[in-house]
Structures are given as structure tokens and as C-alpha cells.
Amino acid sequence: MVGLPETWQAITIGQLLSHTSGIADYDGDELTGRDGPFYVRRDFTEAELVQKVSQLPVEASPGETWSYRDANYLLLGAVIRSITGKFHGDILAEEIFGRLGMTASRVISDQEIVPHRAAGYERRGGTLYNQAWVSPTFNSTADGTQYLTGRDLKHWGRALCSALRPGSRYVGADVDTISGRRRGSRGRLRSRLVCPHPPIGSHRGA
């Protein structure tokens, strides 16, 4: 990828994956609201988003500290396209979902008819409402934006357990949901992967 800031030159793929790049995030109303550079109801190209992320401040030197930042995975999606020439969602479908039999999993599509699709929601004052609309751009970046089912997560869990603990038996995943998410729209999924014991990974919600 060309035209990136000098301060990014030492950042590795591993640091983007592990949230240790030091790159700031594009979260919060000031950045994603109507007057912000990442207004979530406007469409952008992937190149435009990368350029906008490049203008955010660097919070720490690469590898210095861990800090969860969605911008890391947005950039990874752009890296995948620059190397393969393909949309990251197509790579997921070919290399992960298809191979593991995760037949319902996909990147979010507002146009595609998905049988039994669950509607997103948000909670305001104890009342549920339909989730706030965001542009197709922000439903297709690599920092989340995927539809998954419990059955497909089971396929993924089995494959991960087999890879990390050969010969182990997949026990299951403890999953619950938490209301609310950044951009005020989606519920959060909190999970813990067990194969068989103790848990080998967890996620507090996204």
C-alpha cells in the first residue's frame, strides 16, 4: 500500500491483528456524526477510509501497548484487497466459511435476501427500537460487520480447537448478549470458547 504516513512504516500485520499498532480509532460522535469525517450515513470507498484513518493521531509506538481499535481491522481489510485484489468478505467466504461448512455466515448485505435474518435493535430507556441505519460502507468494513449463526460458530469452534489443541474435543462456547454497541445500533455478543477446559479465548463484546 502506497501513500501511507511515515509513522505507520514500522507497523506490522501482527500488530494490526493484535491491536498493538498504536493507531487511533474512528469512533465517537465527533468523528462518526453528521459533521465528522467518518459520518456513518455516508458512503466512502475503501481508499477514502484508509486516507481518513491515516489522518488520525498515533496514540503509541507500534508494539508498545494494547488498545482495542476498530481501525486496525478496517486497515487489514484494505491490506487484503491490496495483496489479493479481492474484497475481504470474498476471502472469508472462500478460505474460512466455505471450508468449515459455515453456510449461513457472510458479510452484511442490506440488499441480499437472507432467510431468517435477525433484525438489529437498540435499547432506549428500556424500550427496544430498530437499529439506526448506517451506510453500506460501514456494514462492509473488515472490523466486524458479519452475520453468523450459532450453528456456524460451532463449526468454527471445532476447527479452532482442533488447530490449537490437536486431539481435543470441542465442548462448546458460552455466549450471551449485551445491549448497545458503538454507533448506537447493534447488540454486543460476548463469548467464551471452551475446548475442553479451560477456555482458550474470550470476547467481551463488539
Side-chain angles (χ1 to χ4, degrees), residues 89-101:
D90 294 334
I91 298 295
L92 288 175
E94 295 167 8
E95 301 296 331
I96 298 179
F97 300 155
R99 293 188 180 193
L100 299 182

Side-chain angles (χ1 to χ4, degrees), residues 162-186:
S162 177
L164 296 180
R165 292 182 181 164
S168 68
R169 179 177 61 87
Y170 173 68
V171 175
D174 301 324
V175 178
D176 64 355
T177 58
I178 315 166
S179 62
R181 191 192 191 274
R182 77 178 176 86
R183 303 179 195 136
S185 59
R186 302 165 193 154

Side-chain angles (χ1 to χ4, degrees), residues 4-205:
L4 299 180
E6 184 66 29
T7 51
W8 286 13
Q9 299 308 308
I11 295 173
T12 67
I13 298 296
Q15 288 164 347
L16 291 175
L17 286 166
S18 61
H19 296 286
T20 57
S21 69
I23 294 174
D25 213 354
Y26 66 101
D27 202 359
D29 291 340
E30 184 176 334
L31 294 175
T32 62
R34 183 181 299 274
D35 297 323
F38 298 91
Y39 182 38
V40 294
R41 296 198 174 195
R42 178 183 169 190
D43 272 315
F44 300 94
T45 66
E46 193 169 64
E48 287 174 331
L49 286 178
V50 171
Q51 193 273 334
K52 289 177 179 294
V53 171
S54 74
Q55 296 176 354
L56 295 174
V58 174
E59 298 178 323
S61 298
E64 181 179 22
T65 185
W66 180 92
S67 187
Y68 187 95
R69 295 291 182 261
D70 289 313
N72 288 302
Y73 276 71
L74 183 154
L75 293 173
L76 283 168
V79 169
I80 288 172
R81 190 189 296 274
S82 71
I83 294 173
T84 68
K86 295 182 178 181
F87 173 53
H88 79 274
D90 294 334
I91 298 295
L92 288 175
E94 295 167 8
E95 301 296 331
I96 298 179
F97 300 155
R99 293 188 180 193
L100 299 182
M102 299 171 66
T103 56
S105 298
R106 66 197 72 199
V107 172
I108 293 174
S109 168
D110 292 328
Q111 293 184 322
E112 189 176 0
I113 296 175
V114 181
H116 312 297
R117 184 200 303 243
Y121 65 89
E122 57 183 296
R123 190 185 301 274
R124 300 183 213 152
T127 302
L128 295 180
Y129 294 86
N130 288 325
Q131 68 180 35
W133 185 86
V134 299
S135 73
T137 291
F138 291 99
N139 270 337
S140 61
T141 51
D143 53 330
T145 71
Q146 296 162 25
Y147 285 136
L148 300 161
T149 65
R151 183 177 290 109
D152 278 3
L153 284 173
K154 188 174 182 179
H155 289 309
W156 173 80
R158 283 175 175 158
L160 186 60
C161 285
S162 177
L164 296 180
R165 292 182 181 164
S168 68
R169 179 177 61 87
Y170 173 68
V171 175
D174 301 324
V175 178
D176 64 355
T177 58
I178 315 166
S179 62
R181 191 192 191 274
R182 77 178 176 86
R183 303 179 195 136
S185 59
R186 302 165 193 154
R188 300 174 64 192
L189 182 69
R190 181 168 56 192
S191 62
R192 185 178 64 157
L193 183 66
V194 185
C195 58
H197 187 78
I200 64 170
S202 64
H203 196 289
R204 293 179 300 171

